Amino acid sequence: MLDNWIIMFILAIFFASMTAVFARTALFGLSGPQTLLTASASVLVLSFTTLSFSGFFKSAKAFGKGSIEDILIEGALLAAGFVCLLIALGMAETISTACFYLLVPVAVFAVNIFLSRKIPQPAPIVINVMTLTGVLAMGFGIKHKKGLWWLPAFLSVAFLTAERIYAKANPIGRLERVAEYFVIALIALVLSFVVRHKDLKKITAYHVLFAIFTGIAFYYGPICLHKALAISSFDLWLSLIYNLWLVFTVAFSRLFLREKGSAGTYAGLGLIAGAEVISFVLQNFI
């Protein structure tokens, strides 16, 4: 029998790499906001499998003005970022759009350099340039039917970068993080009436199911990883493999969605994987 940590890690990798595939499948029938609404509702339901519903709202009454402002701002930025990413995912292949999420730490790195006015060491510059080059090669490595797919993709990076910088300056607790999903779900609900989907009559339970799977994968992926790392003596190497989730995403996109990449796609994937490996070696062995 497999050890528990191996099972947890396999599930973590599966959820991390299948999130975009589930979302892409849901987008064949739902709009971006509708997919986000269903996924965020799934996350909320799963959150209350470990949290007391009544206890949460009792604690929420004690949130200060600053906490409420942080919840609203971060929730709005996350909602905008995820909606834009889902819109891009609905316009172009998974192998071209999922990788844009990796530009968020690159953008945060660039913003920090600009704000600090300090030149960093060469290694992080090389790593971030490799990631940037790899994402652009994957994104534009194949021809897409819709030429403006990159616009919502870059907008998602802008919103998610702003959220990460704001969250670092204004950290919040676990309960506030759950409250953020109420904000995300509410914004997604409103946008569901604004961003109309031309094929509403074609929505089936199948599409809603995959939107629910998106929320399940997004929620349980990090939980399974945390459990695997806690009980495994190979936690360092498991973290490296998990950080290569994009490799598995490309494989699952090829298997389930029949997406085909180009030489540029796989060269870009190699650059991103190389950047992760170099970062891992520098952080842990040098």
Side-chain angles (χ1 to χ4, degrees), residues 12-77:
I13 285 292
F14 177 79
F15 286 137
S17 54
M18 284 295 287
T19 303
V21 176
F22 287 148
R24 172 77 172 167
T25 305
L27 287 164
F28 291 145
L30 302 171
S31 67
Q34 290 166 343
T35 303
L36 180 60
L37 174 61
T38 313
S40 57
S42 301
V43 172
L44 280 172
V45 170
L46 292 170
S47 297
F48 287 108
T49 59
T50 55
L51 288 176
S52 167
F53 192 78
S54 59
F56 169 78
F57 282 99
K58 287 180 181 178
S59 300
K61 292 179 181 178
F63 287 168
K65 181 180 178 181
S67 294
I68 294 174
E69 289 177 352
D70 292 339
I71 291 169
L72 292 174
I73 292 172
E74 291 185 32
L77 289 172

Side-chain angles (χ1 to χ4, degrees), residues 34-244:
Q34 290 166 343
T35 303
L36 180 60
L37 174 61
T38 313
S40 57
S42 301
V43 172
L44 280 172
V45 170
L46 292 170
S47 297
F48 287 108
T49 59
T50 55
L51 288 176
S52 167
F53 192 78
S54 59
F56 169 78
F57 282 99
K58 287 180 181 178
S59 300
K61 292 179 181 178
F63 287 168
K65 181 180 178 181
S67 294
I68 294 174
E69 289 177 352
D70 292 339
I71 291 169
L72 292 174
I73 292 172
E74 291 185 32
L77 289 172
L78 283 171
F82 285 136
V83 165
C84 287
L85 188 58
L86 286 168
I87 289 174
L89 195 60
M91 297 173 67
E93 287 77 2
T94 306
I95 57 175
S96 297
T97 49
C99 58
F100 272 75
Y101 186 76
L102 296 176
L103 285 186
V104 175
V106 175
V108 170
F109 176 75
V111 171
N112 288 335
I113 292 176
F114 176 79
L115 295 178
S116 65
R117 306 290 184 179
K118 295 180 180 179
I119 300 177
Q121 296 295 320
I125 295 178
V126 171
I127 291 170
N128 281 279
V129 169
M130 286 178 66
T131 302
L132 173 62
T133 306
V135 170
L136 294 179
M138 290 190 71
F140 297 95
I142 59 177
K143 187 177 181 180
H144 304 284
K145 294 180 180 179
K146 298 182 180 180
L148 288 178
W149 66 271
W150 52 267
L151 181 57
F154 280 116
L155 281 175
S156 73
V157 175
F159 284 122
L160 294 176
T161 299
E163 187 278 331
R164 189 165 297 188
I165 293 172
Y166 185 89
K168 186 175 181 180
N170 304 275
I172 59 177
R174 183 190 177 192
L175 292 180
E176 288 88 347
R177 187 64 66 183
V178 173
E180 276 187 2
Y181 278 95
F182 281 102
V183 177
I184 293 171
L186 179 60
I187 293 175
L189 177 62
V190 173
L191 289 178
S192 294
F193 292 98
V194 176
V195 181
R196 296 282 180 166
H197 196 283
K198 62 181 180 179
D199 296 325
L200 283 175
K201 294 182 180 180
K202 297 181 181 179
I203 294 176
T204 66
Y206 171 84
H207 300 114
V208 176
L209 181 63
F210 275 94
I212 293 173
F213 282 162
T214 304
I216 293 173
F218 184 83
Y219 181 80
Y220 271 119
I223 291 177
C224 289
L225 176 66
H226 178 74
K227 290 183 177 180
L229 296 180
I231 59 180
S232 171
S233 57
F234 306 103
D235 55 332
L236 208 63
W237 299 99
L238 296 186
S239 295
L240 171 62
I241 296 172
Y242 184 80
N243 287 337
L244 297 175

